[in-house]
Every structure is written in C-alpha cells, then in structure tokens.
Amino acid sequence: MTIPQETEFCIDLHCHSTASDGALPPEEVVNRAADRGVTHLALTDHDTVAGMAAAETSAAARGIALIAGTELSCVWHSKTIHIVGLDFDPADSGFKSALERQNANRWARARAIADKLDRIGVEDLLDKATRCSNGDVPGRPHFARVLVDEGVVTNLAQAFKRHLGQGKPGDVKAFWPELEEVVQWIVDAGGIAVLAHPKKYRLTATKLRSLVADFQRAGGKAMEVSTSGQSSGDLGFLAELCRREKLLASQGSDFHFPGAPWCELGRITKMPDGIEPVWHHFKQPVGLPVQSGA
Ligand code: MN
Ligand code: MN
Ligand code: MN
C-alpha cells in the first residue's frame, strides 16, 4: 500500500525545551515552531512532561496542534537507547510514577559519580555540580566544569582524560531500565513507542535489525525515519527497514537550541513514499480524510 506523504502539514515530532536539555523555554519552542510553519508538534523532553502545560497554552494561542511527547532513556545490551513516546495520556498515574523513577535514576547516577570522585577531595562536589547545572541533575560535563573551577585540572579535556572519561572513576554508566520496560510504560499510557534516531547508535545493520526485533516484541510500533543530521543514504536505509518490518514512520528535528541550521524546528527532509506515517495512527489522526457521519 502506498500512501502519499502530506504536503499541507509540517509535522515535527521530536524537540527539546528547558524542561530538559534544550535552550528555549517550552512556550518559545512552540512559538519558534509556529514561526517556521510547523502545524503539528510534539515536545519530547528527556524523561519528563514538565514542559507540556506551558507548551499547550502557546500552541492553543498559535493555532498549532500539540501532541503529547517525551524521550525516554533505556538500555539494550548495555547500550543507551532513546525511545520517544507519542500521543499517550500524560495524566496516567503509572506513567507519572515511571517518569519519577527515571528522575531518581538520574540523581542516583550523579551521586555515584560524586562518590567515585570523592578521593580527589573537592568538598560538596555534588552540590557544586548541581549549581553548575542550574539545579538540574548534573552530568559528567558539569562535574568536569567544577574540577576546572576548583583548580583540580586546567581544562575540561583534562577533566575527562583523568577523571571522567572512559574507564576513569567518574565514568559511571547510567542507571536506566531495560528497553522492554520503557516501551511498556508508553503502551500502558495509551501511547505509541517510537525508536528514536536509529542511526545514532552506530550499530551494524545486523545489530540494528536485532534491536528493531526486540523493540517490536516489546510493543514498539514506530521508528524515526527522517531526523536531523543524517545522509540521504541513511534516510533510504531507514525507510526500507521501516517498510520491511512494517513499522510506522516518524520524523522530527531533535531541535535543542537556535543557531544550528541543520537542526531546526520544522526543518525535516521529506520521507520517501510508501511508508505509513505514525500520525495516521494518532487518537486524532493527522492527514487522513475525515469520516463523515451517517
Ligand atoms: Mn538531548
Ligand atoms: Mn535522543
Ligand atoms: Mn532528542
């Protein structure tokens, strides 16, 4: 079945605000998207829906459709994988407590990094790193910043080389749940689980097919086919994979901050024809002829 892609819509189903690691507040992300002609937007902040209420208000004011979204971290064969959740019920109590656990996992990792680096002798390292990330959960770059500020090392590269980089004490793996569990959270909240940016994991074609198979077994229904920063070869490869595995196709800019023209809201390479868009399967389908009542 060949379904022509929509031309009258501009659909961006992956972007970030200050609710996670984006540079703009949710309302500004929505305004920027609207200015760039986006008609349907999902704000997919990492492991949170905290930006949704503000985004909702702006979306209503600008007349664009906001689809519930988030981007969840999980592990698959000890690799961190990102799963985008779309069109779920953000008020679902099970989903809300799952997001709280994700947040607790982030803090547990930050504490573990601080403990491992304790022998360096920086007092209140975790507090300082937290201040450095403006009260949010600090990651390795924030710890690196503190080590520079405290004079332990002379620059960020040295902080990674000696203390935080691969194989060093501060290289603490993230405490994420397994892929199956995270997909289930989205399904249980009535949403669609989307495998995010499949080419970003640098898997071989065989490994990627194995990831897709496990994802589908877990209840995953869609994958991103068009994302920023991929080659036309990647796009063709992913479209073919999507077709063969009968997954729904999603697209999104993964916008984080202004000033990177290759990664801008609404700037999305058109997906090849012949794949089924995920938005046809939203609770309020986008781009399908409206069924007229009898
Ligand atoms: Mn991010
Ligand atoms: Mn991601
Ligand atoms: Mn993202």
Side-chain angles (χ1 to χ4, degrees):
M1 182 171 50
T2 300
I3 293 160
Q5 302 282 299
E6 279 68 44
T7 49
E8 66 270 44
F9 301 115
C10 180
I11 302 172
D12 192 335
L13 301 174
H14 190 153
C15 65
H16 298 270
S17 74
T18 48
S20 64
D21 60 349
L24 304 179
E27 53 274 22
E28 283 179 38
V29 172
V30 172
N31 277 327
R32 193 176 177 91
D35 289 346
R36 277 159 179 74
V38 172
T39 56
H40 297 77
L41 182 76
L43 179 67
T44 55
D45 278 306
H46 295 283
D47 304 297
T48 183
V49 291
M52 256 187 80
E56 199 99 59
T57 308
S58 295
R62 296 296 303 263
I64 75 173
L66 189 77
I67 293 108
T70 186
E71 180 174 17
L72 303 175
S73 295
C74 61
V75 290
W76 177 80
H77 290 283
S78 71
K79 235 184 154 33
T80 299
I81 302 291
H82 288 171
I83 304 294
V84 162
L86 296 176
D87 204 30
F88 52 85
D89 173 13
D92 181 273
S93 63
F95 196 74
K96 280 208 256 182
S97 60
L99 292 182
E100 278 163 25
R101 286 202 298 282
Q102 289 291 79
N103 189 46
N105 287 335
R106 274 183 198 277
W107 279 108
R109 175 177 181 246
R111 270 194 303 274
I113 295 173
D115 287 349
K116 294 269 192 175
L117 298 182
D118 191 47
R119 61 188 179 92
I120 295 173
V122 175
E123 250 176 71
D124 305 320
L125 177 57
L126 183 57
D127 288 348
K128 284 171 181 161
T130 305
R131 236 170 288 146
C132 184
S133 63
N134 296 315
D136 201 356
V137 188
R140 282 186 296 166
H142 306 110
F143 284 99
R145 178 86 274 183
V146 175
L147 296 188
V148 174
D149 292 347
E150 296 283 316
V152 175
V153 290
T154 53
N155 56 52
L156 294 173
Q158 206 177 66
F160 274 88
K161 198 162 175 226
R162 293 188 184 168
H163 304 290
L164 291 153
Q166 205 180 356
K168 299 299 166 193
D171 176 25
V172 176
K173 291 278 165 279
F175 298 180
W176 302 125
E178 293 289 327
L179 173 82
E180 288 74 14
E181 188 177 346
V182 162
V183 169
Q184 195 61 50
W185 293 342
I186 298 166
V187 173
D188 287 348
I192 299 176
V194 185
L195 179 61
H197 42 63
K199 289 299 273 184
K200 243 187 167 176
Y201 312 116
R202 300 171 178 282
L203 300 169
T204 61
T206 310
K207 276 252 173 192
L208 181 53
R209 272 194 295 272
S210 157
L211 167 62
V212 165
D214 285 349
F215 171 70
Q216 286 184 296
R217 260 193 294 277
K221 289 275 184 269
M223 67 183 262
E224 288 183 349
V225 170
S226 185
T227 65
S228 295
Q230 62 185 11
S231 69
S232 59
D234 289 344
L235 184 65
F237 172 85
L238 292 175
E240 184 50 38
L241 181 63
C242 193
R243 244 190 311 262
R244 201 171 44 220
E245 303 304 332
K246 298 190 169 53
L247 281 160
L248 305 173
S250 189
Q251 63 182 30
S253 61
D254 208 359
F255 172 83
H256 280 73
F257 51 86
W262 60 89
C263 185
E264 182 55 80
L265 288 159
R267 204 189 135 157
I268 291 156
T269 309
K270 187 184 171 296
M271 295 197 287
D273 286 342
I275 46 181
E276 174 72 354
V278 68
W279 50 88
H280 286 180
H281 297 261
F282 288 164
K283 288 178 200 86
Q284 294 187 325
V286 182
L288 286 181
V290 178
Q291 303 286 317
S292 54

